[in-house]
Amino acid sequence: MNQSPLAVVHPEAKIGENVTIDPFAVIEKDVVIGDNCHIYSHAVILDGARIGNNCFIFPGAVIAGIPQDLKFKGEKTFVEIGDNTTIRECVTINRGTASKGKTVVGSDCLIMAYSHIAHDCVLKDHIIVGNASQIAGEVQIDDFAIVSGGSLVHQFTRISKHVMIQGGSRIGKDIPPYTLIGRDPIVYCGINIVGLRRRGFTNQQVFLIQDIYRTLYTRGLNNTEALKAIETEYEPSEERDLILNFIKTSDRGIVRGSIDE
Protein backbone atom coordinates (compact mmCIF):
# COMPACT_ATOMS: atom_id res chain seq x y z
CA MET A 1 0.00 0.00 0.00
CA ASN A 2 1.23 3.46 -0.89
CA GLN A 3 -0.29 5.68 1.80
CA SER A 4 0.65 9.31 2.31
CA PRO A 5 1.49 10.18 5.92
CA LEU A 6 -0.93 13.10 5.49
CA ALA A 7 -3.89 10.79 4.85
CA VAL A 8 -6.21 9.85 7.73
CA VAL A 9 -6.83 6.10 7.61
CA HIS A 10 -8.39 4.23 10.52
CA PRO A 11 -6.12 1.33 11.54
CA GLU A 12 -9.03 -1.13 11.36
CA ALA A 13 -10.04 -0.24 7.81
CA LYS A 14 -9.39 -3.17 5.47
CA ILE A 15 -7.21 -2.00 2.62
CA GLY A 16 -6.20 -4.32 -0.22
CA GLU A 17 -2.88 -4.68 -1.98
CA ASN A 18 -1.29 -2.01 -4.13
CA VAL A 19 -3.71 0.71 -3.02
CA THR A 20 -2.61 4.35 -3.32
CA ILE A 21 -4.00 6.80 -0.77
CA ASP A 22 -3.10 10.43 -1.42
CA PRO A 23 -2.60 13.27 1.10
CA PHE A 24 -5.68 14.46 3.01
CA ALA A 25 -7.86 11.51 2.03
CA VAL A 26 -10.01 10.22 4.92
CA ILE A 27 -10.91 6.55 5.37
CA GLU A 28 -13.01 5.54 8.38
CA LYS A 29 -13.07 2.32 10.42
CA ASP A 30 -15.76 0.15 8.81
CA VAL A 31 -14.43 0.38 5.27
CA VAL A 32 -13.23 -2.30 2.86
CA ILE A 33 -11.21 -1.30 -0.20
CA GLY A 34 -10.06 -3.87 -2.77
CA ASP A 35 -6.75 -4.21 -4.57
CA ASN A 36 -5.18 -1.70 -6.97
CA CYS A 37 -7.44 1.21 -6.05
CA HIS A 38 -6.44 4.88 -6.00
CA ILE A 39 -8.01 7.17 -3.40
CA TYR A 40 -7.18 10.75 -4.36
CA SER A 41 -6.62 13.76 -2.12
CA HIS A 42 -9.63 14.95 -0.11
CA ALA A 43 -11.76 11.93 -0.97
CA VAL A 44 -13.76 10.79 2.07
CA ILE A 45 -14.65 7.12 2.50
CA LEU A 46 -17.04 6.74 5.44
CA ASP A 47 -18.20 3.77 7.52
CA GLY A 48 -20.15 1.23 5.50
CA ALA A 49 -18.23 1.60 2.23
CA ARG A 50 -17.34 -1.59 0.38
CA ILE A 51 -15.21 -0.83 -2.66
CA GLY A 52 -14.05 -3.44 -5.19
CA ASN A 53 -10.78 -3.79 -7.08
CA ASN A 54 -9.25 -1.32 -9.55
CA CYS A 55 -11.44 1.60 -8.51
CA PHE A 56 -10.53 5.29 -8.70
CA ILE A 57 -12.07 7.71 -6.20
CA PHE A 58 -11.27 11.30 -7.21
CA PRO A 59 -10.82 14.40 -5.02
CA GLY A 60 -13.83 15.61 -3.07
CA ALA A 61 -15.90 12.45 -3.53
CA VAL A 62 -17.81 11.27 -0.45
CA ILE A 63 -18.68 7.59 -0.31
CA ALA A 64 -21.18 6.20 2.25
CA GLY A 65 -22.49 9.43 3.73
CA ILE A 66 -25.64 8.92 5.77
CA PRO A 67 -28.87 9.03 3.73
CA GLN A 68 -30.68 12.31 3.16
CA ASP A 69 -33.89 10.62 4.25
CA LEU A 70 -35.85 11.58 7.35
CA LYS A 71 -36.86 7.94 7.85
CA PHE A 72 -33.22 6.98 8.47
CA LYS A 73 -32.70 6.18 12.16
CA GLY A 74 -29.01 5.38 12.21
CA GLU A 75 -29.32 1.72 11.18
CA LYS A 76 -26.19 -0.05 9.94
CA THR A 77 -26.23 0.15 6.15
CA PHE A 78 -23.75 0.07 3.30
CA VAL A 79 -22.54 1.31 -0.05
CA GLU A 80 -21.22 -1.39 -2.38
CA ILE A 81 -19.11 -0.45 -5.40
CA GLY A 82 -17.97 -3.09 -7.88
CA ASP A 83 -14.66 -3.53 -9.70
CA ASN A 84 -13.14 -1.16 -12.26
CA THR A 85 -15.45 1.71 -11.38
CA THR A 86 -14.42 5.36 -11.44
CA ILE A 87 -15.98 7.95 -9.14
CA ARG A 88 -15.04 11.45 -10.27
CA GLU A 89 -14.68 14.73 -8.38
CA CYS A 90 -17.24 15.67 -5.72
CA VAL A 91 -19.55 12.73 -6.35
CA THR A 92 -21.69 11.75 -3.34
CA ILE A 93 -22.96 8.20 -2.89
CA ASN A 94 -25.15 7.75 0.19
CA ARG A 95 -25.62 4.61 2.26
CA GLY A 96 -28.83 2.62 2.18
CA THR A 97 -31.68 2.76 4.67
CA ALA A 98 -33.80 0.05 6.28
CA SER A 99 -35.64 -0.15 2.94
CA LYS A 100 -32.90 -2.11 1.14
CA GLY A 101 -29.92 -1.84 3.48
CA LYS A 102 -27.46 -0.78 0.84
CA THR A 103 -26.78 1.42 -2.16
CA VAL A 104 -25.11 -0.40 -5.04
CA VAL A 105 -22.95 0.84 -7.90
CA GLY A 106 -21.80 -2.04 -10.09
CA SER A 107 -18.61 -2.81 -11.98
CA ASP A 108 -17.13 -0.90 -14.92
CA CYS A 109 -19.18 2.20 -14.17
CA LEU A 110 -18.24 5.85 -14.62
CA ILE A 111 -19.90 8.31 -12.25
CA MET A 112 -18.91 11.78 -13.41
CA ALA A 113 -18.19 14.87 -11.35
CA TYR A 114 -20.76 16.43 -9.00
CA SER A 115 -23.27 13.61 -9.43
CA HIS A 116 -25.34 12.34 -6.52
CA ILE A 117 -26.44 8.73 -5.98
CA ALA A 118 -29.03 8.65 -3.19
CA HIS A 119 -29.92 5.96 -0.67
CA ASP A 120 -30.91 2.46 -1.78
CA CYS A 121 -30.23 3.03 -5.47
CA VAL A 122 -29.11 0.02 -7.49
CA LEU A 123 -26.91 0.80 -10.48
CA LYS A 124 -25.77 -2.30 -12.31
CA ASP A 125 -22.72 -2.69 -14.59
CA HIS A 126 -21.25 -0.58 -17.43
CA ILE A 127 -23.31 2.48 -16.50
CA ILE A 128 -22.34 6.09 -17.19
CA VAL A 129 -23.84 8.90 -15.12
CA GLY A 130 -22.97 12.29 -16.61
CA ASN A 131 -21.69 15.35 -14.76
CA ALA A 132 -23.99 16.88 -12.14
CA SER A 133 -26.78 14.32 -12.57
CA GLN A 134 -28.92 13.77 -9.50
CA ILE A 135 -30.24 10.27 -8.87
CA ALA A 136 -32.91 10.21 -6.14
CA GLY A 137 -33.58 7.41 -3.68
CA GLU A 138 -34.35 3.81 -4.67
CA VAL A 139 -33.78 4.35 -8.39
CA GLN A 140 -32.79 1.27 -10.40
CA ILE A 141 -30.54 1.58 -13.46
CA ASP A 142 -29.70 -1.49 -15.53
CA ASP A 143 -26.60 -2.48 -17.50
CA PHE A 144 -25.14 -0.21 -20.19
CA ALA A 145 -27.50 2.69 -19.50
CA ILE A 146 -26.20 6.23 -20.05
CA VAL A 147 -27.72 9.09 -18.09
CA SER A 148 -26.25 12.23 -19.65
CA GLY A 149 -25.12 15.29 -17.71
CA GLY A 150 -27.43 17.42 -15.63
CA SER A 151 -30.26 14.90 -15.56
CA LEU A 152 -32.71 14.66 -12.64
CA VAL A 153 -34.08 11.20 -11.87
CA HIS A 154 -37.15 10.97 -9.63
CA GLN A 155 -37.18 8.52 -6.73
CA PHE A 156 -38.30 4.93 -7.43
CA THR A 157 -37.80 5.36 -11.18
CA ARG A 158 -36.47 2.42 -13.22
CA ILE A 159 -34.14 2.85 -16.19
CA SER A 160 -33.63 -0.31 -18.21
CA LYS A 161 -30.71 -1.72 -20.23
CA HIS A 162 -28.99 -0.05 -23.17
CA VAL A 163 -30.81 3.26 -22.69
CA MET A 164 -29.41 6.64 -23.73
CA ILE A 165 -30.92 9.69 -22.01
CA GLN A 166 -30.36 13.25 -23.22
CA GLY A 167 -28.53 15.68 -20.94
CA GLY A 168 -30.67 17.90 -18.75
CA SER A 169 -33.59 15.47 -18.75
CA ARG A 170 -36.17 15.32 -15.96
CA ILE A 171 -37.04 11.67 -15.56
CA GLY A 172 -40.22 10.82 -13.70
CA LYS A 173 -41.40 7.79 -15.67
CA ASP A 174 -39.79 4.41 -16.20
CA ILE A 175 -37.51 4.15 -19.24
CA PRO A 176 -37.89 0.87 -21.19
CA PRO A 177 -34.89 -0.99 -22.65
CA TYR A 178 -32.96 -0.06 -25.80
CA THR A 179 -34.50 3.40 -26.07
CA LEU A 180 -33.23 6.88 -26.87
CA ILE A 181 -34.90 9.46 -24.63
CA GLY A 182 -34.86 13.22 -25.05
CA ARG A 183 -36.70 16.56 -25.49
CA ASP A 184 -38.45 18.51 -22.74
CA PRO A 185 -40.59 17.03 -21.34
CA ILE A 186 -38.93 13.75 -22.14
CA VAL A 187 -40.37 11.39 -24.76
CA TYR A 188 -39.33 8.27 -26.64
CA CYS A 189 -37.18 9.42 -29.57
CA GLY A 190 -36.32 6.07 -31.14
CA ILE A 191 -34.02 3.24 -30.15
CA ASN A 192 -30.41 3.60 -29.10
CA ILE A 193 -29.01 2.32 -32.39
CA VAL A 194 -25.46 3.62 -31.87
CA GLY A 195 -25.20 1.98 -28.46
CA LEU A 196 -26.65 -1.30 -29.70
CA ARG A 197 -24.23 -1.41 -32.66
CA ARG A 198 -21.29 -0.77 -30.37
CA ARG A 199 -22.34 -3.71 -28.20
CA GLY A 200 -22.63 -6.16 -31.06
CA PHE A 201 -26.38 -6.31 -31.69
CA THR A 202 -27.12 -7.75 -35.12
CA ASN A 203 -29.24 -6.10 -37.78
CA GLN A 204 -31.96 -8.65 -37.07
CA GLN A 205 -32.02 -7.75 -33.37
CA VAL A 206 -32.04 -4.01 -34.09
CA PHE A 207 -34.88 -4.31 -36.63
CA LEU A 208 -36.90 -6.43 -34.19
CA ILE A 209 -36.51 -3.87 -31.40
CA GLN A 210 -37.46 -1.02 -33.75
CA ASP A 211 -40.55 -2.88 -34.91
CA ILE A 212 -41.69 -3.68 -31.37
CA TYR A 213 -41.46 -0.02 -30.41
CA ARG A 214 -43.39 0.99 -33.53
CA THR A 215 -46.16 -1.29 -32.28
CA LEU A 216 -45.98 0.25 -28.83
CA TYR A 217 -45.77 3.91 -29.79
CA THR A 218 -47.01 4.53 -33.35
CA ARG A 219 -49.98 2.25 -34.05
CA GLY A 220 -52.45 4.21 -31.95
CA LEU A 221 -52.84 1.41 -29.40
CA ASN A 222 -53.12 1.88 -25.66
CA ASN A 223 -50.55 0.04 -23.54
CA THR A 224 -52.77 -2.96 -22.88
CA GLU A 225 -53.55 -3.37 -26.57
CA ALA A 226 -49.92 -2.83 -27.56
CA LEU A 227 -48.64 -5.42 -25.09
CA LYS A 228 -51.14 -7.97 -26.37
CA ALA A 229 -50.10 -7.24 -29.96
CA ILE A 230 -46.41 -7.60 -29.13
CA GLU A 231 -47.05 -10.93 -27.40
CA THR A 232 -49.06 -12.36 -30.27
CA GLU A 233 -47.24 -10.90 -33.29
CA TYR A 234 -43.61 -11.50 -32.30
CA GLU A 235 -41.88 -14.77 -31.48
CA PRO A 236 -40.38 -15.05 -27.98
CA SER A 237 -36.84 -13.65 -27.83
CA GLU A 238 -34.59 -12.04 -25.26
CA GLU A 239 -35.31 -8.59 -26.69
CA ARG A 240 -39.09 -9.01 -26.93
CA ASP A 241 -39.36 -10.57 -23.49
CA LEU A 242 -37.22 -7.89 -21.82
CA ILE A 243 -39.42 -5.13 -23.26
CA LEU A 244 -42.64 -6.90 -22.32
CA ASN A 245 -41.59 -7.77 -18.79
CA PHE A 246 -40.27 -4.27 -18.12
CA ILE A 247 -43.50 -2.59 -19.20
CA LYS A 248 -45.71 -5.09 -17.37
CA THR A 249 -43.83 -4.55 -14.10
CA SER A 250 -43.66 -0.76 -14.33
CA ASP A 251 -45.38 0.83 -11.34
CA ARG A 252 -44.77 4.43 -12.45
CA GLY A 253 -45.67 3.88 -16.09
CA ILE A 254 -43.30 4.28 -19.01
CA VAL A 255 -42.23 7.41 -20.86
CA ARG A 256 -44.70 8.49 -23.52
CA GLY A 257 -44.13 8.52 -27.26
CA SER A 258 -43.40 11.64 -29.27
CA ILE A 259 -46.41 13.63 -30.48
CA ASP A 260 -44.57 13.95 -33.82
CA GLU A 261 -44.91 10.24 -34.50
Side-chain angles (χ1 to χ4, degrees):
M1 181 172 65
N2 179 19
Q3 176 184 330
S4 168
L6 298 177
V8 178
V9 179
H10 195 283
E12 296 183 34
K14 297 178 181 178
I15 311 296
E17 297 181 359
N18 194 34
V19 173
T20 298
I21 304 174
D22 287 347
F24 310 114
V26 175
I27 299 175
E28 291 194 337
K29 177 180 178 179
D30 184 18
V31 169
V32 178
I33 298 176
D35 299 338
N36 304 308
C37 292
H38 192 154
I39 312 301
Y40 288 83
S41 295
H42 299 285
V44 178
I45 317 295
L46 300 172
D47 286 342
R50 304 290 185 264
I51 298 171
N53 301 320
N54 307 305
C55 292
F56 295 84
I57 314 296
F58 276 73
V62 180
I63 310 299
I66 64 171
Q68 298 174 106
D69 185 336
L70 296 177
K71 298 187 298 297
F72 180 70
K73 303 302 181 185
E75 56 266 27
K76 187 176 180 64
T77 57
F78 302 93
V79 164
E80 295 180 0
I81 297 174
D83 299 334
N84 310 307
T85 284
T86 296
I87 310 296
R88 292 303 303 252
E89 295 84 356
C90 300
V91 166
T92 53
I93 304 178
N94 288 170
R95 285 161 46 194
T97 68
S99 175
K100 291 187 172 65
K102 61 184 179 181
T103 302
V104 178
V105 177
S107 297
D108 300 289
C109 294
L110 171 59
I111 312 299
M112 294 188 188
Y114 296 97
S115 294
H116 174 66
I117 312 296
H119 63 89
D120 302 294
C121 287
V122 177
L123 280 63
K124 295 188 178 177
D125 300 334
H126 304 283
I127 288 168
I128 298 174
V129 176
N131 293 313
S133 292
Q134 309 296 298
I135 314 297
E138 305 199 40
V139 166
Q140 297 181 46
I141 306 179
D142 286 342
D143 300 333
F144 293 103
I146 298 175
V147 180
S148 298
S151 294
L152 305 176
V153 184
H154 195 281
Q155 63 195 43
F156 301 109
T157 302
R158 297 166 59 215
I159 298 173
S160 192
K161 294 181 178 180
H162 301 287
V163 164
M164 175 71 176
I165 297 174
Q166 172 185 296
S169 294
R170 295 174 293 166
I171 302 155
K173 293 288 188 179
D174 290 344
I175 309 299
Y178 313 117
T179 56
L180 185 67
I181 302 299
R183 305 187 187 174
D184 184 19
I186 60 166
V187 294
Y188 166 79
C189 296
I191 71 167
N192 182 17
I193 293 178
V194 173
L196 297 180
R197 298 287 191 207
R198 288 173 177 170
R199 293 168 205 134
F201 280 69
T202 66
N203 286 338
Q204 184 178 6
Q205 289 172 303
V206 169
F207 295 153
L208 171 63
I209 293 166
Q210 284 180 319
D211 209 39
I212 289 172
Y213 278 112
R214 288 190 190 102
T215 298
L216 179 65
Y217 282 120
T218 67
R219 282 174 51 177
L221 306 175
N222 64 36
N223 271 6
T224 301
E225 294 167 338
L227 290 174
K228 184 176 180 179
I230 293 166
E231 280 189 296
T232 56
E233 295 175 17
Y234 300 91
E235 294 293 327
S237 66
E238 181 178 348
E239 294 77 30
R240 187 207 77 156
D241 294 347
L242 179 61
I243 295 168
L244 279 175
N245 291 335
F246 184 90
I247 297 170
K248 286 180 178 180
T249 57
S250 173
D251 293 328
R252 299 187 62 81
I254 63 169
V255 64
R256 66 183 179 87
S258 171
I259 60 175
D260 297 335
E261 294 176 334

